[in-house]
Amino acid sequence: MELRQLSAPADPGFRLDLDGTARFLHEGYTVTVQGRRATAEDAWCYYDPLDRHDVLLTGTVTLQGVDAGTAYAIASELDAHSMRQALEEVLREAVDDVRRTAARLSARVEEIDHKHRTQQP
């Protein structure tokens, strides 16, 4: 996967801003990625023991001011391959989540519209 970071220097890696975020363009969607130190609660959610070098990457796609897709992954900050895999996973899954959310919303709107039309005299 080619990483396309927005507003970043052209280097082979990726960089987080001072607030721990970076923005990427993936399949036409802007994904905001935030990194932070993984906590004991994160380990419980992922069923994996964590060490002090693990970070949690969170990817969010916001459409029209609404968070429409979110994904999470844990990586070791000491392992560039682990960080890259986690970043790719977050980008891919956040965009997939947007598509699933849009499909559910579209189906629900159609269902409501159909029900409304059948109730009209």
Side-chain angles (χ1 to χ4, degrees), residues 8-82:
D11 65 18
F14 69 94
R15 296 178 188 217
L16 299 177
D17 293 338
L18 292 176
D19 64 353
T21 63
R23 293 176 14 155
F24 292 86
L25 186 62
H26 182 67
E27 296 183 10
Y29 295 91
T30 299
V31 183
T32 302
V33 176
Q34 182 168 29
R36 67 166 172 78
R37 184 81 45 216
T39 65
E41 183 177 292
D42 298 326
W44 184 80
C45 293
Y46 284 88
Y47 307 106
D48 286 331
L50 300 177
D51 68 29
R52 62 189 180 101
H53 301 292
D54 286 341
V55 293
L56 177 70
L57 295 181
T58 304
T60 306
V61 177
T62 303
L63 300 175
Q64 299 300 106
V66 176
D67 291 349
T70 305
Y72 307 91
I74 290 184
S76 171
E77 68 180 345
L78 299 179
D79 181 352
H81 183 70
S82 170

Side-chain angles (χ1 to χ4, degrees), residues 68 96-111:
D96 288 348
D97 193 34
V98 167
R99 290 183 176 125
R100 285 189 301 272
T101 299
R104 283 192 310 269
L105 289 172
S106 179
R108 182 67 177 133
V109 166
E110 183 62 34
E111 179 183 315

